[in-house]
């Protein structure tokens, strides 16, 4: 306590005595022992109240001895089992835990790592990936400001993360790798990397790139074979030497059938090859039939027709033909989308056939459109046109929601020509482009889409958009912006897929060494995302018929589940909403690829560089006793004495409050007993 606090306590004592004497000593009617008892009780109450106000404190200092930390990071990945090192790890852990010298000198803690970093409660050696750099960084964050040499038990083979030997170069504490696995080099052929597209279009070629590596000293030859089922679809002879240890093979395969096409790439193993698991790798490609046939029907020649056809056919999967109304009637059913350019009375039979076939249409109107005919040929929109013309520009509606539209500079494009009049749409619609005159909206849509009973239609009121395509090229030296805009319109209009309250997003195939995520969006009856729903996914293995149900978790504006625990195989799934008759089904395939089986040896050189970069030392399993002796005897790892200073109250306020209550209660009792109240 400070001298000032002691002075305040002394003053409080004097004041309390003075008040007690004044009340029960000066001119008091009480006599004898009662006066003394009441005076003492009043002094105690007053002095305690003053102490409570002063709240005297003093400093308390405690000393603790802190041992240096020793985090032990244990590789829990499947490669430990593949290299036959499980028993060695368990033997090491038992040795560390039973060594008295090690545990007396260090505060030892154990952590396991694979995909993630956690405390080593149990070891399974089943992690599908190894992230050594993440484990080292996480361990360093835990013990950054402490003496904490790190013991790393691993084979050094990393499948995820940054280069760990350099990531740890700035660490304050040394790292001691304990190397598991064989350091002897064996002759080995391996498919190091395989690159291919996930998707391909029907009747197209898709590229495949395979990198094959060789470790050994003698010249060898082998053959790279790619099989689809039992049929070989590609073969290539490869030769390697001690100096030429890798080959990159690039080729294309045909996409001849729609759906998921599975392939197996294999480099035929050598006769004395030890690890043959890394000689093959599965891959798959989903072949999509996205061919779209578009028919453009027009009675008149116009530059718009050429711009429209070129934009549509800029994608090889789309084809476009231009026909007159008379020639189009008999072939309408061969096309997914019919574009009607400036229809007039010659389109009577075309509209009649479209109604029978329920075809999706895109009507483009202009100065030569017969609006009297068009208003009567359909009942979705109407325009009371006049003989006057009007030049209009476009303004993109940012709230258009049928599909994503990129603003390619519509407001700066040249004006389109249309007949003067107000265009009204009678059915539910979404306006993509609005008409503007001199920068002000005139209340009429330029381009709008409708979807009624699953039939999609669009109306574009304005001719001369060939200038838009030309302007796009002048500004970007490419037609791509305009062509993509037309392509997205065609893709939307050519599809008959109706919007569902339960939208599911899943890949057709996954690799079992990565996440297997399926997501879904559920909408209420007003098509507003419902975050209160409970979604479940039931997954059935098509081979074993085993059924497993997983709950889907809410992630912002979608629901998601990770099915990474499922083994490789083919699966069917159904996502359902609790208490709702809404569900969606699909299928996917999990391809077998265990990256942890690709290693034949420990990565000794990288672990030795890691030790060197952090001022540590690498040891092999047979040198574990030497490692323990080195840690115990190293003089730099010493206990630290830490002091902790606390400021604590002299008397707990609870006790003072209780004493005040007791003193006042006792005083009241004695006064009551003696008839003074």
């Amino acid at each position: 306590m400070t001298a000032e606090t002691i002075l305040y306590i002394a003053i409080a004592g004097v004041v309390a005595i003075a008040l007690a004497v004044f009340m029960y000593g000066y001119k008091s009617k009480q006599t004898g022992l009662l006066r003394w008892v009441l005076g003492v009780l009043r002094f105690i109450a007053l002095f305690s109240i003053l102490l409570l106000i002063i709240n005297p404190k003093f400093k308390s200092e405690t000393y603790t001895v802190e041992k240096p930390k020793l985090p032990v990071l244990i590789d829990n990945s499947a490669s430990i089992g593949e290299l036959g090192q499980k028993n060695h790890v368990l033997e090491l852990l038992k040795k560390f835990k039973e060594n008295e010298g090690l545990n007396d000198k260090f505060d030892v803690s154990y952590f396991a790592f694979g995909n993630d970093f956690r405390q080593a409660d149990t070891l399974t050696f089943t992690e599908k990936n190894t992230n050594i750099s993440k484990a080292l960084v996480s361990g360093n964050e835990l013990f950054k400001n402490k003496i904490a040499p790190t013991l790393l038990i691993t084979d050094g083979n990393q499948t995820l993360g940054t280069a760990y030997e350099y990531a740890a170069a700035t660490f304050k504490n040394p790292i001691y790798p304990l190397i598991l696995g064989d350091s002897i080099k064996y002759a080995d052929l391996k498919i190091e990397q395989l690159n291919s597209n996930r998707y391909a279009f029907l009747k197209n070629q898709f590229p495949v790139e395979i990198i094959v590596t060789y470790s050994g000293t003698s010249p060898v030859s082998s053959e790279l074979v790619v099989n689809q089922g039992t049929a070989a679809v590609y073969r290539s002879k490869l030769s390697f030497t001690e100096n030429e240890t890798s080959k990159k093979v690039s080729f294309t395969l045909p996409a001849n059938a729609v759906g998921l096409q599975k392939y197996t790439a294999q480099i035929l193993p050598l006769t004395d090859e030890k690890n043959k698991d890394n000689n093959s790798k599965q891959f798959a490609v989903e072949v999509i039939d996205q061919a779209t046939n578009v028919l453009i029907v027009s009675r008149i020649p116009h530059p718009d027709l050429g711009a429209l056809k070129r934009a549509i056919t800029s994608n090889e999967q789309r084809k476009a033909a231009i026909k007159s109304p008379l020639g189009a009637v008999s072939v309408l059913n061969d096309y997914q989308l019919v574009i009607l350019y400036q229809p007039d009375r010659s389109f009577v039979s075309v509209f009649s056939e479209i109604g029978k076939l329920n075809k999706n249409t895109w009507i483009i109107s202009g100065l030569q459109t017969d609006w009297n005919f068009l208003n009567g040929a359909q009942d979705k929109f109407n325009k009371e046109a006049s003989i006057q013309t009007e030049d209009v520009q476009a303004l993109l509606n940012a709230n258009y929601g049928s599909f994503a539209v990129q603003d390619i500079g519509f407001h700066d494009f040249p004006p389109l020509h249309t007949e003067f009049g107000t265009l009204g749409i009678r059915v539910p619609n979404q306006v993509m482009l609005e008409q503007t005159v001199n920068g002000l909206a005139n209340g009429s849509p330029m381009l709008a889409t409708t979807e009624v009973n699953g039939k999609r239609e669009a109306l574009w009121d304005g001719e001369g958009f060939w200038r838009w395509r030309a302007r796009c090229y002048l500004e970007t030296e490419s037609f791509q912006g305009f062509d993509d805009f037309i392509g997205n319109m065609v893709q939307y209009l050519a599809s008959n897929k109706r919007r569902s309250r339960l939208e599911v997003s899943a890949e057709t195939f996954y690799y079992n060494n990565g996440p297997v995520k399926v997501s879904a969006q559920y909408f209420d009856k007003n098509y507003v995302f419902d975050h209160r729903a409970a979604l479940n996914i039931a997954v059935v293995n098509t081979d074993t018929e085993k059924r497993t149900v997983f709950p889907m978790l809410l992630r912002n504006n979608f629901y998601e589940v990770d099915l990474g625990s499922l083994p490789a195989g083919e699966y069917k799934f159904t996502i359902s909403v609790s208490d709702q008759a809404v569900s969606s089904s699909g299928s996917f395939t999990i391809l077998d690829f265990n990256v942890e089986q690709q290693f034949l040896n420990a990565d000794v050189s990288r672990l030795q560089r890691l030790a060197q970069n952090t001022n540590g030392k690498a040891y092999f399993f047979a040198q574990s006793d030497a490692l323990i002796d080195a840690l115990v005897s190293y003089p730099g790892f010493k206990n630290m004495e830490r002091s902790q200073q606390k400021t604590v109250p002299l008397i707990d306020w609870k006790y003072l409050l209780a004493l005040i209550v007791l003193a006042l209660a006792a005083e009241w009792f004695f006064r009551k007993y003696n008839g003074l109240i």
Side-chain angles (χ1 to χ4, degrees):
M1 287 186 297
T2 63
E4 185 180 4
T5 303
I6 295 174
L7 178 61
Y8 287 152
I9 294 174
I11 293 173
V14 171
V15 171
I17 291 174
L19 290 174
V21 169
F22 176 78
M23 297 179 68
Y24 290 107
Y26 179 70
K27 293 183 180 182
S28 176
K29 296 179 181 181
Q30 291 80 31
T31 58
L33 183 61
L34 178 61
R35 182 170 61 178
W36 282 99
V37 170
L38 293 176
V40 169
L41 290 173
R42 180 54 60 93
F43 166 77
I44 292 173
L46 292 173
F47 186 64
S48 298
I49 292 173
L50 292 173
L51 277 181
L52 195 61
I53 296 172
I54 296 170
N55 191 22
K57 299 178 180 179
F58 68 96
K59 292 183 179 179
S60 172
E61 192 167 14
T62 58
Y63 296 90
T64 57
V65 176
E66 185 178 282
K67 295 191 292 185
K69 308 294 183 181
L70 181 64
V72 181
L73 312 185
I74 308 159
D75 192 339
N76 192 39
S77 65
S79 65
I80 300 299
E82 295 294 333
L83 296 178
Q85 299 297 312
K86 287 184 182 180
N87 293 332
H88 286 172
V89 174
L90 299 177
E91 184 180 333
L92 285 170
L93 294 181
K94 182 179 179 182
K95 184 181 293 187
F96 293 152
K97 292 177 180 179
E98 294 179 351
N99 190 285
E100 294 182 2
L102 191 68
N103 288 279
D104 288 342
K105 183 167 184 176
F106 294 97
D107 182 6
V108 186
S109 53
Y110 298 90
F111 302 90
F113 66 88
N115 289 305
D116 298 309
F117 178 79
R118 60 175 177 81
Q119 285 191 323
D121 302 322
T122 56
L123 295 174
T124 59
F125 305 106
T126 57
E127 294 276 354
K128 296 178 181 178
N129 283 291
T130 309
N131 195 334
I132 299 176
S133 59
K134 181 179 180 180
L136 292 175
V137 170
S138 300
N140 183 61
E141 288 295 324
L142 288 174
F143 306 102
K144 179 182 289 186
N145 298 319
K146 300 177 181 178
I147 298 176
T150 300
L151 183 56
L152 178 65
I153 303 176
T154 181
D155 56 15
N157 294 312
Q158 179 173 258
T159 61
L160 291 177
T162 57
Y164 60 83
E165 67 269 35
Y166 303 113
T170 58
F171 288 6
K172 175 184 174 183
N173 294 301
I175 298 175
Y176 294 88
L178 206 158
I179 303 171
L180 302 172
D182 200 344
S183 61
I184 301 174
K185 294 286 186 180
Y186 297 95
D188 183 59
L189 286 172
K190 173 184 178 182
I191 294 181
E192 184 71 34
Q193 189 172 343
L194 191 152
N195 301 318
S196 71
N197 294 346
R198 293 185 67 91
Y199 303 96
F201 295 118
L202 183 66
K203 297 181 181 179
N204 276 12
Q205 300 280 328
F206 63 90
V208 180
E209 181 182 80
I210 301 176
I211 300 175
V212 182
T213 60
Y214 167 67
S215 60
T217 57
S218 302
V220 296
S221 296
S222 184
E223 186 177 23
L224 177 66
V225 182
V226 178
N227 290 316
Q228 184 178 21
T230 58
V233 295
Y234 179 81
R235 290 179 180 272
S236 178
K237 297 285 186 180
L238 301 178
S239 298
F240 301 90
T241 65
E242 185 178 4
N243 297 322
E244 192 178 10
T245 59
S246 67
K247 291 285 181 69
K248 182 171 73 172
V249 183
S250 300
F251 54 94
T252 59
L253 294 176
N256 294 326
V258 176
L260 186 66
Q261 307 300 317
K262 301 177 187 177
Y263 301 87
T264 301
Q266 182 184 27
I267 182 71
L268 299 182
L270 305 174
T271 54
D272 57 346
E273 195 165 347
K274 185 178 180 181
N275 183 9
K276 298 180 181 179
D277 291 328
N278 59 11
N279 287 61
S280 62
K281 186 173 289 189
Q282 287 186 317
F283 67 101
V285 175
E286 184 181 3
V287 179
I288 303 171
D289 184 4
Q290 201 190 32
T292 302
N293 290 326
V294 180
L295 178 62
I296 304 172
V297 184
S298 177
R299 182 185 60 83
I300 59 173
H302 198 283
D304 283 349
L305 301 178
L308 197 60
K309 183 175 181 180
R310 288 180 179 275
I312 293 172
T313 57
S314 63
N315 185 323
E316 295 180 357
Q317 296 302 308
R318 292 194 292 263
K319 296 180 180 180
I322 301 175
K323 291 185 179 296
S324 66
L326 184 61
V329 175
S330 60
V331 295
L332 285 176
N333 205 31
D334 297 335
Y335 298 88
Q336 286 88 20
L337 173 65
V338 180
I339 299 178
L340 306 175
Y341 187 79
Q342 303 214 40
D344 58 15
R345 296 191 181 277
S346 63
F347 282 68
V348 172
S349 56
V350 175
F351 272 94
S352 176
E353 191 67 17
I354 287 175
K356 295 177 184 177
L357 299 174
N358 200 34
K359 286 288 181 181
N360 292 355
T361 59
W362 184 1
I363 297 175
I364 301 174
S365 62
L367 299 180
Q368 300 186 55
T369 301
D370 186 345
W371 278 104
N372 292 325
F373 162 76
L374 189 55
N375 289 336
Q378 48 75 45
D379 57 1
K380 294 182 175 61
F381 55 86
N382 180 78
K383 184 174 184 178
E384 295 182 3
S386 65
I387 60 173
Q388 295 181 342
T389 63
E390 187 175 31
D391 289 347
V392 293
Q393 287 185 287
L395 178 65
L396 178 65
N397 176 17
N399 296 319
Y400 182 79
S402 294
F403 58 90
V405 181
Q406 183 179 359
D407 190 351
I408 57 175
F410 295 105
H411 62 283
D412 290 329
F413 283 167
L416 303 185
H417 311 304
T418 183
E419 292 188 14
F420 182 81
T422 301
L423 175 64
I425 303 179
R426 301 168 177 170
V427 295
N429 66 92
Q430 290 202 52
V431 177
M432 179 190 297
L433 299 177
E434 300 178 23
Q435 289 185 9
T436 64
V437 179
N438 296 325
L440 299 176
N442 64 4
S444 292
M446 175 180 287
L447 177 58
T449 58
T450 67
E451 184 172 354
V452 179
N453 297 324
K455 182 180 179 181
R456 293 178 175 177
E457 296 180 276
L459 171 64
W460 190 348
D461 186 18
E463 69 172 69
F465 50 80
W466 65 269
R467 298 185 182 90
W468 287 15
R469 191 168 188 263
R471 173 63 69 86
C472 190
Y473 183 84
L474 289 174
E475 292 180 352
T476 64
E477 296 185 356
S478 172
F479 296 114
Q480 184 174 353
F482 180 84
D483 291 352
D484 288 346
F485 163 65
I486 297 295
N488 290 335
M489 278 292 298
V490 169
Q491 183 177 351
Y492 168 75
L493 293 172
S495 172
N496 289 317
K497 182 180 179 182
R498 301 183 64 181
R499 190 177 185 188
S500 170
R501 290 178 58 194
L502 182 60
E503 299 285 350
V504 177
S505 177
E507 300 289 349
T508 51
F509 68 93
Y510 303 87
Y511 289 101
N512 67 345
N513 66 315
V516 182
K517 292 185 177 180
V518 177
S519 60
Q521 285 186 304
Y522 173 67
F523 303 91
D524 60 19
K525 293 182 179 180
N526 292 324
Y527 287 95
V528 177
F529 178 75
D530 190 349
H531 60 84
R532 301 167 299 172
L535 272 64
N536 296 297
I537 180 171
V539 184
V540 179
N541 188 305
T542 56
D543 294 328
T544 64
E545 296 298 326
K546 181 181 179 181
R547 184 176 185 270
T548 311
V549 178
F550 301 89
M552 300 189 73
L553 303 179
L554 179 63
R555 309 280 191 196
N556 296 325
N557 62 341
F558 64 94
Y559 294 86
E560 186 180 69
V561 64
D562 189 346
L563 306 174
S565 60
L566 296 175
E570 296 186 1
Y571 294 89
K572 297 183 296 184
F573 69 87
T574 300
I575 296 177
S576 57
V577 183
S578 298
D579 302 325
Q580 296 288 333
V582 178
S583 64
S584 181
S585 300
S587 62
F588 60 85
T589 300
I590 300 179
L591 300 179
D592 189 14
F593 175 68
N594 190 347
V595 69
E596 297 291 331
Q597 291 179 341
Q598 307 301 305
F599 306 107
L600 186 63
N601 305 98
D603 199 335
V604 178
S605 58
R606 293 181 71 185
L607 291 173
Q608 288 176 337
R609 286 197 300 271
L610 171 66
Q612 182 180 358
N613 292 339
T614 58
N615 297 318
K617 185 179 178 181
Y619 293 83
F620 288 93
F621 169 75
Q623 300 171 306
S624 57
D625 291 331
L627 170 60
I628 294 175
D629 293 340
L631 291 172
V632 172
S633 60
Y634 187 70
F637 305 142
K638 296 180 179 179
N639 293 345
M640 294 185 63
E641 186 178 71
R642 295 186 179 273
S643 64
Q644 187 177 21
Q645 196 176 69
K646 295 181 180 179
T647 301
V648 295
L650 180 65
I651 304 174
D652 195 325
W653 65 271
K654 296 178 183 177
Y655 297 117
L656 270 179
L657 195 60
L659 184 60
I660 293 169
V661 172
L662 287 174
L664 293 175
E667 182 183 352
W668 179 87
F669 175 78
F670 282 117
R671 290 174 65 87
K672 182 73 174 178
Y673 183 78
N674 289 280
L676 300 176
I677 298 178

